[in-house]
Amino acid sequence: MSVLSLPPAIFVMGPTASGKTDVAMSLREHLPVDIISVDSAQVYRQMDIGSAKPDRETLKKHPHQLIDIRDPVEAYSAGDFLKDAREKMSEISASGRIPLLVGGTMLYFKVLLEGLAELPQANQVIRNELQARADKSGWPSLHEELKRIDPSTAGRLHPNHSQRIQRALEVYLITGSPLSELQSLSKGQAVEDEYQVIQLALVCNNRSLLHERIAQRFRHMMELGLESEVKALYQRGDLSATSTAMRSAGYRQIWDYCDGLLTLEEAIEKGIIATRQLAKRQITWLRNWPNAHQIQVDNGEQYYSHANICNQSLKILREHPIL
């Protein structure tokens, strides 16, 4: 089957606070698209403010698939996303509309494009042992260990990226093989074999401007009630700082405040720093991302309007026979 005969799909990617959701909703005003969220925090119920989830009125006007589909006590993996996203894409295409996937969880986009290696299920005993070691000596020490075992994977991870360091070491301890080696044996049909995918990457000229925007947004989240949101999760009693959902930037730092480990102002500052680090990782992913059309979201001094960014996106999309 030729590429031109495949149904279309649109990806909108970019770092946190770059305006991805607004662009997606603007495109929905012009194109017959339905939105699928690509966000590892927005899948969870009760995590609204800190995940920058669109509010109820916005979701009523612009429905998003794969939002509020898990309780925070439940794990949600890239494999779960791959299954769920492909199912939603198929439903949207069958209805005669175009799936538009938007978010900043770059690993999720990667597994859609490349498939997913068959990896072992999580082993809670091994995870607990690794967590105990990290609590004693810090995640950077486990990162150094991962460098010796699997330099390829370690080279892609920040020394404090606890969840992925833990998973890489867990996979090695279970299988005896490096995670990068297993991932090279990718299985499952890539989404580009079934769809004509047009990828849009929102990029920032001025990193300082993005950092300023991240800080402003985080403090606005606090004004909206992020502290109360995390306290409600903390008081449930079935979550901990090591829960997958609570590892999200912002949530972990406010959780540490609830645990008495930080003052509120320290938690806010660390939350802003963690979000900036997340944006840096997202930008690194996008820098080496193949086949993505880059769209500038600022002119070096200020951000463009949503209408301007939407028009840049539409210009690229109209160069492809998707309409």
Side-chain angles (χ1 to χ4, degrees):
M1 183 180 292
S2 72
V3 173
L4 296 181
S5 64
L6 297 175
I10 302 169
F11 289 1
V12 177
M13 310 172 289
T16 188
S18 61
K20 300 179 296 294
T21 300
D22 290 317
V23 171
M25 293 188 297
S26 295
L27 288 174
R28 197 167 181 270
E29 301 284 353
H30 299 272
L31 301 174
V33 298
D34 287 338
I35 298 172
I36 299 173
S37 171
V38 186
D39 190 293
S40 59
Q42 291 185 0
V43 298
Y44 292 112
R45 296 183 287 273
Q46 296 180 265
M47 292 175 60
D48 302 333
I49 299 170
S51 69
K53 195 178 296 177
D55 61 34
R56 290 183 181 179
E57 282 302 310
T58 300
L59 289 174
K60 186 176 180 181
K61 184 177 181 182
H62 299 286
H64 285 50
Q65 302 287 348
L66 304 190
I67 280 182
D68 291 338
I69 60 172
R70 286 286 191 280
D71 184 88
V73 78
E74 300 175 280
Y76 190 77
S77 68
D80 293 325
F81 171 80
L82 180 60
K83 175 180 176 294
D84 292 341
R86 291 178 69 91
E87 180 179 297
K88 295 302 180 185
M89 291 176 73
S90 179
E91 291 174 0
I92 292 169
S93 293
S95 72
R97 294 177 65 80
I98 301 171
L100 190 162
L101 293 90
V102 58
T105 303
M106 302 306 300
L107 177 61
Y108 287 3
F109 282 116
K110 182 178 174 64
V111 299
L112 270 176
L113 291 168
E114 299 180 2
L116 188 68
E118 188 170 353
L119 300 175
Q121 295 293 314
N123 183 306
Q124 197 58 50
V125 173
I126 291 176
R127 289 192 169 195
N128 290 343
E129 291 174 353
L130 291 169
Q131 183 65 53
R133 290 173 55 195
D135 290 342
K136 183 178 180 180
S137 57
W139 284 107
S141 70
L142 271 73
H143 183 261
E144 285 298 319
E145 180 178 334
L146 182 61
K147 276 186 182 179
R148 295 189 291 273
I149 294 167
D150 186 356
S152 177
T153 297
R156 298 194 300 268
L157 302 180
H158 187 278
N160 284 315
H161 201 151
S162 57
Q163 185 175 355
R164 294 184 64 193
I165 294 171
Q166 182 187 58
R167 178 56 174 162
L169 289 172
E170 175 193 33
V171 167
Y172 179 78
L173 290 171
I174 292 172
T175 67
S177 298
L179 177 62
S180 58
E181 179 181 315
L182 294 176
Q183 288 177 329
S184 69
L185 305 173
S186 181
K187 64 181 296 183
Q189 191 173 27
V191 74
E192 287 185 301
D193 293 334
E194 299 178 42
Y195 294 87
Q196 181 194 172
V197 180
I198 301 93
Q199 302 180 64
L200 307 178
L202 306 189
V203 296
C204 309
N205 288 307
N206 187 329
R207 189 74 62 87
S208 296
L209 196 61
L210 177 63
H211 286 179
E212 180 183 336
R213 184 158 167 156
I214 287 171
Q216 291 174 346
R217 190 175 75 158
F218 196 92
R219 292 191 180 278
H220 182 58
M221 287 177 176
M222 295 301 298
E223 293 171 1
L224 292 174
L226 178 57
E227 178 186 349
S228 297
E229 182 172 273
V230 179
K231 279 184 175 178
L233 293 166
Y234 186 87
Q235 291 165 359
R236 284 177 37 153
D238 58 351
L239 297 168
S240 72
T242 60
S243 298
T244 301
M246 290 303 103
R247 293 175 178 177
S248 301
Y251 284 95
R252 177 60 186 268
Q253 291 72 34
I254 303 300
W255 186 280
D256 285 347
Y257 158 69
C258 294
D259 252 345
L261 301 175
L262 300 171
T263 67
L264 183 57
E265 195 53 44
E266 286 172 340
I268 292 170
E269 185 60 30
K270 287 182 179 294
I272 291 170
I273 291 170
T275 308
R276 287 174 176 171
Q277 291 171 340
L278 168 62
K280 182 179 179 179
R281 292 194 296 271
Q282 291 166 321
I283 291 168
T284 299
W285 277 88
L286 286 170
R287 186 177 296 126
N288 301 309
W289 201 267
N291 304 319
H293 300 275
Q294 293 197 349
I295 296 174
Q296 301 294 333
V297 299
D298 69 272
N299 63 8
E301 297 180 0
Q302 62 182 11
Y303 274 81
Y304 293 126
S305 67
H306 299 320
N308 182 297
I309 300 170
C310 180
N311 286 336
Q312 291 185 62
S313 303
L314 287 170
K315 181 179 179 181
I316 292 169
L317 293 170
R318 284 171 180 151
E319 292 173 355
H320 294 78
I322 68 169
L323 302 181

